Short mmCIF file of all heavy atoms in Angstrom, two decimals:
data_model
loop_
_atom_site.label_atom_id
_atom_site.label_comp_id
_atom_site.label_asym_id
_atom_site.label_seq_id
_atom_site.Cartn_x
_atom_site.Cartn_y
_atom_site.Cartn_z
N ALA J 26 2.39 32.27 -28.23
CA ALA J 26 1.81 32.78 -29.48
C ALA J 26 1.87 31.75 -30.59
O ALA J 26 1.04 31.77 -31.50
CB ALA J 26 2.55 34.06 -29.89
N ASP J 27 2.85 30.84 -30.55
CA ASP J 27 3.00 29.86 -31.62
C ASP J 27 2.12 28.62 -31.42
O ASP J 27 2.22 27.65 -32.16
CB ASP J 27 4.47 29.43 -31.75
CG ASP J 27 5.00 28.77 -30.48
OD1 ASP J 27 4.22 28.57 -29.52
OD2 ASP J 27 6.20 28.45 -30.44
N GLY J 28 1.25 28.67 -30.40
CA GLY J 28 0.38 27.54 -30.15
C GLY J 28 0.93 26.54 -29.15
O GLY J 28 0.22 25.61 -28.73
N GLY J 29 2.18 26.72 -28.75
CA GLY J 29 2.77 25.85 -27.75
C GLY J 29 2.52 26.38 -26.35
O GLY J 29 1.63 27.22 -26.13
N PHE J 30 3.33 25.92 -25.39
CA PHE J 30 3.16 26.32 -24.00
C PHE J 30 4.51 26.63 -23.38
O PHE J 30 5.52 26.00 -23.71
CB PHE J 30 2.46 25.21 -23.20
CG PHE J 30 1.06 24.95 -23.69
CD1 PHE J 30 0.83 24.01 -24.68
CD2 PHE J 30 -0.01 25.68 -23.20
CE1 PHE J 30 -0.45 23.78 -25.16
CE2 PHE J 30 -1.29 25.46 -23.66
CZ PHE J 30 -1.51 24.51 -24.64
N VAL J 31 4.53 27.61 -22.48
CA VAL J 31 5.76 28.06 -21.81
C VAL J 31 5.65 27.70 -20.34
O VAL J 31 4.75 28.15 -19.63
CB VAL J 31 5.93 29.58 -21.96
CG1 VAL J 31 7.21 30.03 -21.26
CG2 VAL J 31 5.96 29.97 -23.43
N MET J 32 6.58 26.87 -19.87
CA MET J 32 6.53 26.42 -18.48
C MET J 32 6.87 27.56 -17.53
O MET J 32 7.82 28.31 -17.74
CB MET J 32 7.48 25.25 -18.27
CG MET J 32 7.35 24.62 -16.90
SD MET J 32 8.35 23.13 -16.76
CE MET J 32 8.15 22.76 -15.01
N LEU J 33 6.07 27.68 -16.45
CA LEU J 33 6.24 28.75 -15.47
C LEU J 33 6.64 28.27 -14.09
O LEU J 33 6.92 29.08 -13.21
CB LEU J 33 4.94 29.56 -15.36
CG LEU J 33 4.55 30.40 -16.56
CD1 LEU J 33 3.14 30.94 -16.38
CD2 LEU J 33 5.54 31.53 -16.76
N GLY J 34 6.62 26.97 -13.88
CA GLY J 34 6.99 26.48 -12.56
C GLY J 34 6.25 25.20 -12.23
O GLY J 34 5.60 24.59 -13.08
N LYS J 35 6.37 24.81 -10.95
CA LYS J 35 5.76 23.58 -10.46
C LYS J 35 5.03 23.85 -9.16
O LYS J 35 5.36 24.79 -8.44
CB LYS J 35 6.82 22.50 -10.21
CG LYS J 35 7.78 22.23 -11.34
CD LYS J 35 8.82 21.20 -10.91
CE LYS J 35 9.89 20.98 -11.95
NZ LYS J 35 10.90 19.98 -11.51
N THR J 36 4.07 22.99 -8.82
CA THR J 36 3.46 23.05 -7.49
C THR J 36 2.78 21.74 -7.15
O THR J 36 2.26 21.05 -8.02
CB THR J 36 2.44 24.19 -7.36
OG1 THR J 36 2.05 24.32 -6.00
CG2 THR J 36 1.19 23.94 -8.21
N PHE J 37 2.83 21.40 -5.85
CA PHE J 37 2.01 20.30 -5.32
C PHE J 37 1.12 20.83 -4.20
O PHE J 37 0.45 20.07 -3.53
CB PHE J 37 2.89 19.16 -4.79
CG PHE J 37 3.93 19.59 -3.81
CD1 PHE J 37 3.60 19.87 -2.49
CD2 PHE J 37 5.25 19.72 -4.20
CE1 PHE J 37 4.57 20.27 -1.58
CE2 PHE J 37 6.23 20.12 -3.30
CZ PHE J 37 5.89 20.39 -1.99
N LYS J 38 1.12 22.16 -4.02
CA LYS J 38 0.35 22.77 -2.93
C LYS J 38 -1.14 22.82 -3.27
O LYS J 38 -1.52 23.01 -4.42
CB LYS J 38 0.84 24.19 -2.66
CG LYS J 38 2.32 24.31 -2.35
CD LYS J 38 2.66 23.73 -1.01
CE LYS J 38 4.12 24.03 -0.64
NZ LYS J 38 4.49 23.42 0.64
N GLY J 39 -1.96 22.68 -2.23
CA GLY J 39 -3.39 22.85 -2.39
C GLY J 39 -4.13 21.62 -2.88
O GLY J 39 -5.33 21.68 -3.13
N LEU J 40 -3.44 20.49 -3.01
CA LEU J 40 -4.05 19.28 -3.55
C LEU J 40 -4.61 18.42 -2.42
O LEU J 40 -3.87 17.95 -1.56
CB LEU J 40 -3.02 18.48 -4.35
CG LEU J 40 -2.51 19.16 -5.63
CD1 LEU J 40 -1.30 18.42 -6.17
CD2 LEU J 40 -3.61 19.21 -6.68
N THR J 41 -5.91 18.20 -2.42
CA THR J 41 -6.53 17.28 -1.47
C THR J 41 -6.31 15.85 -1.95
O THR J 41 -5.92 15.60 -3.10
CB THR J 41 -8.03 17.54 -1.34
OG1 THR J 41 -8.64 17.24 -2.61
CG2 THR J 41 -8.31 18.99 -0.97
N ASP J 42 -6.56 14.88 -1.07
CA ASP J 42 -6.43 13.48 -1.47
C ASP J 42 -7.36 13.15 -2.64
O ASP J 42 -6.98 12.43 -3.56
CB ASP J 42 -6.74 12.56 -0.28
CG ASP J 42 -5.61 12.53 0.73
OD1 ASP J 42 -4.48 12.95 0.38
OD2 ASP J 42 -5.83 12.09 1.87
N ALA J 43 -8.58 13.71 -2.59
CA ALA J 43 -9.52 13.45 -3.67
C ALA J 43 -9.01 14.01 -4.99
O ALA J 43 -9.12 13.37 -6.05
CB ALA J 43 -10.88 14.04 -3.33
N THR J 44 -8.43 15.22 -4.94
CA THR J 44 -7.90 15.82 -6.16
C THR J 44 -6.71 15.04 -6.67
O THR J 44 -6.54 14.85 -7.89
CB THR J 44 -7.49 17.29 -5.90
OG1 THR J 44 -8.63 18.01 -5.42
CG2 THR J 44 -6.99 17.95 -7.18
N LEU J 45 -5.85 14.57 -5.76
CA LEU J 45 -4.70 13.77 -6.17
C LEU J 45 -5.15 12.51 -6.91
O LEU J 45 -4.58 12.15 -7.95
CB LEU J 45 -3.87 13.38 -4.95
CG LEU J 45 -2.92 14.43 -4.39
CD1 LEU J 45 -2.43 14.02 -3.01
CD2 LEU J 45 -1.72 14.62 -5.32
N ASP J 46 -6.16 11.83 -6.37
CA ASP J 46 -6.65 10.61 -7.03
C ASP J 46 -7.23 10.95 -8.41
O ASP J 46 -6.94 10.25 -9.40
CB ASP J 46 -7.72 9.95 -6.16
CG ASP J 46 -7.15 9.34 -4.90
OD1 ASP J 46 -5.94 9.04 -4.89
OD2 ASP J 46 -7.90 9.16 -3.92
N TRP J 47 -8.03 12.01 -8.48
CA TRP J 47 -8.66 12.39 -9.74
C TRP J 47 -7.61 12.78 -10.78
O TRP J 47 -7.65 12.32 -11.93
CB TRP J 47 -9.63 13.55 -9.50
CG TRP J 47 -10.34 14.00 -10.75
CD1 TRP J 47 -11.50 13.50 -11.26
CD2 TRP J 47 -9.91 15.03 -11.64
NE1 TRP J 47 -11.84 14.16 -12.42
CE2 TRP J 47 -10.88 15.11 -12.68
CE3 TRP J 47 -8.82 15.90 -11.67
CZ2 TRP J 47 -10.77 16.01 -13.73
CZ3 TRP J 47 -8.72 16.81 -12.71
CH2 TRP J 47 -9.68 16.87 -13.74
N GLN J 48 -6.65 13.62 -10.38
CA GLN J 48 -5.68 14.09 -11.36
C GLN J 48 -4.75 12.96 -11.81
O GLN J 48 -4.31 12.94 -12.96
CB GLN J 48 -4.89 15.29 -10.84
CG GLN J 48 -3.76 14.99 -9.89
CD GLN J 48 -3.01 16.26 -9.48
OE1 GLN J 48 -3.51 17.37 -9.58
NE2 GLN J 48 -1.80 16.08 -9.00
N THR J 49 -4.47 12.01 -10.92
CA THR J 49 -3.64 10.87 -11.33
C THR J 49 -4.32 10.08 -12.44
O THR J 49 -3.70 9.73 -13.45
CB THR J 49 -3.36 9.95 -10.12
OG1 THR J 49 -2.63 10.70 -9.13
CG2 THR J 49 -2.53 8.74 -10.55
N ASP J 50 -5.61 9.81 -12.28
CA ASP J 50 -6.35 9.09 -13.32
C ASP J 50 -6.38 9.90 -14.61
O ASP J 50 -6.15 9.36 -15.71
CB ASP J 50 -7.79 8.83 -12.85
CG ASP J 50 -7.85 7.81 -11.71
OD1 ASP J 50 -6.88 7.05 -11.56
OD2 ASP J 50 -8.87 7.80 -11.00
N GLN J 51 -6.68 11.18 -14.50
CA GLN J 51 -6.79 12.02 -15.68
C GLN J 51 -5.45 12.16 -16.41
O GLN J 51 -5.39 12.12 -17.65
CB GLN J 51 -7.32 13.40 -15.29
CG GLN J 51 -8.74 13.41 -14.76
CD GLN J 51 -9.75 13.06 -15.82
OE1 GLN J 51 -9.63 13.48 -16.96
NE2 GLN J 51 -10.74 12.26 -15.45
N LEU J 52 -4.38 12.35 -15.66
CA LEU J 52 -3.07 12.55 -16.29
C LEU J 52 -2.53 11.25 -16.89
O LEU J 52 -1.87 11.27 -17.93
CB LEU J 52 -2.09 13.13 -15.27
CG LEU J 52 -2.42 14.56 -14.80
CD1 LEU J 52 -1.50 14.98 -13.67
CD2 LEU J 52 -2.34 15.55 -15.96
N ARG J 53 -2.80 10.14 -16.25
CA ARG J 53 -2.34 8.86 -16.82
C ARG J 53 -3.02 8.59 -18.15
O ARG J 53 -2.41 8.02 -19.07
CB ARG J 53 -2.59 7.73 -15.83
CG ARG J 53 -1.71 7.80 -14.59
CD ARG J 53 -1.92 6.63 -13.67
NE ARG J 53 -1.39 5.40 -14.24
CZ ARG J 53 -1.41 4.23 -13.60
NH1 ARG J 53 -1.94 4.15 -12.40
NH2 ARG J 53 -0.91 3.16 -14.18
N GLU J 54 -4.27 9.01 -18.27
CA GLU J 54 -4.97 8.84 -19.55
C GLU J 54 -4.34 9.69 -20.65
O GLU J 54 -4.45 9.36 -21.83
CB GLU J 54 -6.44 9.24 -19.40
CG GLU J 54 -7.27 8.27 -18.57
CD GLU J 54 -8.70 8.74 -18.43
OE1 GLU J 54 -9.06 9.75 -19.10
OE2 GLU J 54 -9.46 8.12 -17.66
N ARG J 55 -3.69 10.78 -20.25
CA ARG J 55 -3.10 11.70 -21.22
C ARG J 55 -1.59 11.55 -21.33
O ARG J 55 -0.93 12.36 -21.99
CB ARG J 55 -3.45 13.14 -20.82
CG ARG J 55 -4.94 13.45 -20.92
CD ARG J 55 -5.28 14.75 -20.20
NE ARG J 55 -6.66 15.17 -20.46
CZ ARG J 55 -7.71 14.67 -19.84
NH1 ARG J 55 -7.54 13.72 -18.90
NH2 ARG J 55 -8.94 15.07 -20.13
N ALA J 56 -1.00 10.55 -20.67
CA ALA J 56 0.45 10.39 -20.63
C ALA J 56 1.01 10.07 -22.02
O ALA J 56 0.45 9.27 -22.77
CB ALA J 56 0.83 9.29 -19.65
N VAL J 57 2.14 10.72 -22.34
CA VAL J 57 2.85 10.43 -23.58
C VAL J 57 4.26 9.90 -23.31
O VAL J 57 4.91 9.36 -24.21
CB VAL J 57 2.93 11.67 -24.49
CG1 VAL J 57 1.53 12.09 -24.94
CG2 VAL J 57 3.63 12.83 -23.80
N ALA J 58 4.73 10.07 -22.06
CA ALA J 58 6.05 9.55 -21.67
C ALA J 58 6.12 9.44 -20.16
O ALA J 58 5.47 10.22 -19.44
CB ALA J 58 7.16 10.47 -22.19
N ASP J 59 6.88 8.47 -19.67
CA ASP J 59 7.06 8.26 -18.23
C ASP J 59 8.45 7.71 -18.00
O ASP J 59 8.74 6.57 -18.39
CB ASP J 59 6.00 7.29 -17.70
CG ASP J 59 6.07 7.09 -16.20
OD1 ASP J 59 7.03 7.57 -15.57
OD2 ASP J 59 5.16 6.42 -15.65
#
């Protein structure tokens, strides 16, 4: 409600190789810490 986000869990299930490559590029562009 305050505009933030509430973590609900993690998953690596259901990810194809193509999706893994795409999400890696997309998430690295949005990275704020590593």
Side-chain angles (χ1 to χ4, degrees):
D27 62 4
F30 296 90
V31 180
M32 187 173 173
L33 291 171
K35 308 176 185 180
T36 189
F37 53 78
K38 304 290 187 182
L40 294 168
T41 65
D42 285 344
T44 303
L45 280 166
D46 290 337
W47 181 88
Q48 79 178 21
T49 298
D50 291 340
Q51 295 292 320
L52 294 173
R53 291 183 71 177
E54 290 178 7
R55 293 166 171 80
V57 296
D59 183 352

